[in-house]
Amino acid sequence: MDIAQLERGIVKGDRRALSRAITLVESSRADHRQLAAELVEALKGEGGVAREALRIGLSGTPGVGKSTFIEAFGGMLTAEGLRVAVLAVDPSSARSGGSILGDKTRMDRLSRDPNAFIRPSPSGAHLGGVGRRSREAVALCEAAGFDVVLIETVGVGQSETVVAEMADLFVLLLAPAGGDELQGVKRGIMEIADIILVNKADGDLKSAASRTCADYSGALRLLRKRAQDPEGFPKAMMVSALEDTGMQAAWQEMRALADWRRAHGHWDARRAAQARYWFGEEVRQGLLAQLAAPEARAAMEELGAAVAEGRTTPAIAAQALLERIGAQTGKRG
C-alpha cells in the first residue's frame, strides 16, 4: 500500500482514499498497524491537526431514532455548506464477531449527499460501543477537510462514556417516556452529557416529550457544576427528526458551547487530556496483546492448571505469569 499516495488522496478529500485509510486503521494486523501509524503521523505533518472539526459524540437508547436524527441533522448541516462525516458504530455479534453495518441503508438520503460521508464500523469486542480505532478514523476525517464529525455509539450504558474521550461535545438522544425512563439512564451518561435531546417531539408524543424534557432539565440541575460549562449547560431540549423541528436551535446551542470552550481554554485542554488518555489505552492494549503470544498462552495454561488443582492461589499464579512475561520482554529488548 502506497502511504504517500493515500495521504495525498485524503488531503484532497478523496472519499475512496479516506475509506481505504479507515479500513487500514481498523485492521489488527501488525504490518497494517505500522502503516496506519505512519499515515496518521504523516497527515499531522500535512497540517491535518490544524483542520479541527467539531467532534460530536451521539448516544441514545435503542429505538430512539438515532439514524433518523443523524440523517435530518446532517442534511441540515450540509445545506449550510458544511461537510459532515458520520462514524456509525454497529454492535458486533459475541458469537460470530460479525456486524450488520446497516447505517447507510437507514440514512439513504444523507449517504447520497456529496458533502456527507458515512462509515459504519463494527464495535468488535470493545465495551465502549466505539471501535478501538475510531479516534484515528476521526483524525482521518479531519485531515480530509470535514467540518463536523458525528460519532454514533451503539447504545446507552455505563461503558458508553468512552465516546467522551474522543468527542468535543456529547449529545444524549432520548425518546418521550414516563418517569421510569429517567431511572433507566445511567448516572455516568448523565454526568458527561452536554446536551440532552428529547426526540420524537411531534404529534401525539409532543406533550410527553415536553414532560420528559422538563424531567431531565430538573435532573441536570441537581448534578455537580462542571468547570467546562457556561451558565445554562448542560441542558435538555426537544427535537423532531421526523418534522425537522428544533434542529437549528440544537445546532446553535452546540456551536455556542464549542465557541465558549474555545474562548476559555477548555477546548485545547480537553483535547490534550484525550490524547493522554488514548496513549494510556494504547499501552494497556499493547500489554494485553502480549498475553496472546504462544509463550504467554503456554504459561497461562500451566499456571491455570496449578490453580485449578489447588497447588497455588490465583494471586500467586498471576504474579508468576507477569514476572515471566516481564523477563521475556527484557530478553527481547
Side-chain angles (χ1 to χ4, degrees):
M1 186 175 293
D2 189 341
I3 294 299
Q5 183 180 358
L6 204 56
E7 175 194 342
R8 290 192 295 270
I10 292 171
V11 173
K12 291 178 182 177
D14 184 343
R15 290 163 173 265
R16 183 171 297 180
L18 178 57
S19 295
R20 290 181 62 203
I22 293 177
T23 299
L24 178 65
V25 300
E26 288 178 345
S27 174
S28 58
R29 281 177 43 175
D31 57 337
H32 286 178
R33 291 302 314 139
Q34 181 61 36
L35 290 173
E38 292 175 8
L39 175 61
V40 174
E41 189 67 25
L43 286 169
K44 287 175 64 178
E46 287 288 335
V49 170
R51 301 180 180 185
E52 285 190 340
L54 176 60
R55 307 170 182 175
I56 302 174
L58 182 71
S59 188
T61 51
V64 75
K66 290 193 295 291
S67 296
T68 306
F69 172 81
I70 290 174
E71 181 162 61
F73 186 68
M76 180 195 73
L77 297 181
T78 58
E80 294 183 6
L82 298 173
R83 298 185 67 212
V84 179
V86 180
L87 301 177
V89 182
D90 269 10
S92 297
S93 167
R95 178 174 298 178
S96 67
S99 296
I100 296 175
L101 302 179
D103 293 274
K104 278 195 172 183
T105 303
R106 295 195 297 269
M107 305 178 200
D108 179 62
R109 188 159 38 94
L110 189 62
S111 66
R112 289 176 286 141
D113 192 317
N115 286 324
F117 173 81
I118 301 176
R119 171 69 183 216
S121 300
S123 64
H126 202 293
L127 292 176
V130 179
R132 248 188 85 192
R133 304 301 172 185
S134 293
R135 185 175 183 274
E136 291 173 323
V138 170
L140 293 175
C141 291
E142 284 188 320
F146 285 93
D147 303 296
V148 179
V149 180
L150 296 171
I151 311 157
E152 179 197 1
T153 64
V154 174
V156 169
Q158 189 69 33
S159 58
E160 289 285 309
T161 56
V162 71
V163 74
E165 297 297 341
M166 66 179 73
D168 301 310
L169 305 177
F170 183 82
V171 176
L172 179 59
L173 201 63
L174 297 174
D180 290 342
E181 176 74 4
L182 187 59
Q183 298 296 326
V185 175
K186 301 290 186 181
R187 181 181 174 89
I189 291 287
M190 291 280 291
E191 288 176 336
I192 65 169
D194 295 305
I195 297 176
I196 292 178
L197 297 180
V198 181
N199 194 22
K200 303 183 179 181
D202 48 59
D204 296 337
L205 291 174
K206 193 164 187 178
S207 59
S210 180
R211 290 193 300 271
T212 302
C213 187
D215 288 343
Y216 280 99
S217 294
L220 289 173
R221 283 194 291 270
L222 297 176
L223 296 179
R224 182 179 299 175
K225 178 71 175 175
R226 304 180 305 186
Q228 71 269 28
D229 292 332
E231 192 63 36
F233 283 90
K235 64 175 55 181
M237 305 176 67
M238 293 192 301
V239 297
S240 169
L242 188 65
E243 296 182 350
D244 285 342
T245 56
M247 298 288 187
Q248 191 60 241
W251 174 233
Q252 289 175 0
E253 294 293 347
M254 292 179 201
R255 285 191 301 179
L257 179 56
D259 290 343
W260 186 89
R261 286 179 174 173
R262 282 193 185 97
H264 290 78
H266 296 292
W267 180 281
D268 292 335
R270 182 58 184 155
R271 287 211 168 185
Q274 289 174 344
R276 180 180 288 272
Y277 170 86
W278 288 106
F279 161 70
E281 278 297 299
E282 286 296 325
V283 172
R284 281 187 284 273
Q285 294 298 332
L287 292 174
L288 287 173
Q290 292 187 21
L291 296 176
E295 300 91 342
R297 287 203 303 268
M300 285 190 71
E301 190 65 31
E302 175 193 334
L303 291 167
V307 170
E309 294 169 7
R311 289 186 281 115
T312 186
T313 65
I316 296 296
Q319 184 62 36
L321 176 63
L322 294 174
E323 288 175 357
R324 287 193 197 182
I325 292 176
Q328 290 167 358
T329 303
K331 288 178 182 179
R332 287 195 297 267

